[in-house]
Amino acid sequence: MALHRPLVLINGAPVQLQPGGGLDLGPVVALGAFGVTQSIDLSAGAVQSGSVSANCTIVLQALPYAGATSFTTLLLEKTAGVAIIWPVAMQWVGGEAPDMAAAGLYVVLLRAVRTGAETVFVADGAAVET
């Protein structure tokens, strides 16, 4: 029986995983300071970072075609007392968005899958440092 190494999409390009090899996710995409409405393009990079110092609504762009899948790690440096509003359709592991009230560094793992005309977003997040 032949073993097949899985293919994953990294920044939109298929990459075959090699045994014992590292996985290069490419450079961290610096989003800078988030605006009142912050659009995030998951195809821009597998690791994206930004700072949130004012109330912000996140908008996630739909994936381009049926069957597309994306895994993105979002690194957020957040100021205390500001709110992040996530898309209503976001499905959170555990049923609800994590508490991000304190200032600190947060990691949000985003998975997107396009099924037909709709992109489904699933996320999990936690504080790394507060």
Side-chain angles (χ1 to χ4, degrees), residues 22-42:
L23 182 60
D24 181 9
L25 298 176
V28 174
V29 176
L31 301 172
F34 281 23
V36 173
T37 301
Q38 180 67 40
S39 181
I40 298 176
D41 179 2
L42 301 180

Side-chain angles (χ1 to χ4, degrees), residues 5-17 23-26 42-47 63-73 110-114:
R5 293 183 177 86
L7 282 176
V8 296
L9 291 178
I10 306 291
N11 298 330
V15 175
Q16 189 170 47
L17 300 180
L23 182 60
D24 181 9
L25 298 176
L42 301 180
S43 68
V47 181
L63 295 179
Y65 54 87
T69 299
S70 170
F71 295 90
T72 303
T73 300
L110 298 169
R111 178 168 186 217
V113 178
R114 179 139 179 203

Side-chain angles (χ1 to χ4, degrees), residues 77-81 100-106 127 129-130:
E77 187 174 344
K78 188 182 162 301
T79 303
M100 294 185 180
L105 180 61
Y106 293 86
E129 171 184 301
T130 56

Side-chain angles (χ1 to χ4, degrees), residues 86-108:
W86 297 94
V88 174
M90 177 82 77
Q91 297 175 27
W92 288 93
V93 172
E96 60 185 52
D99 179 9
M100 294 185 180
L105 180 61
Y106 293 86
V107 174
V108 178

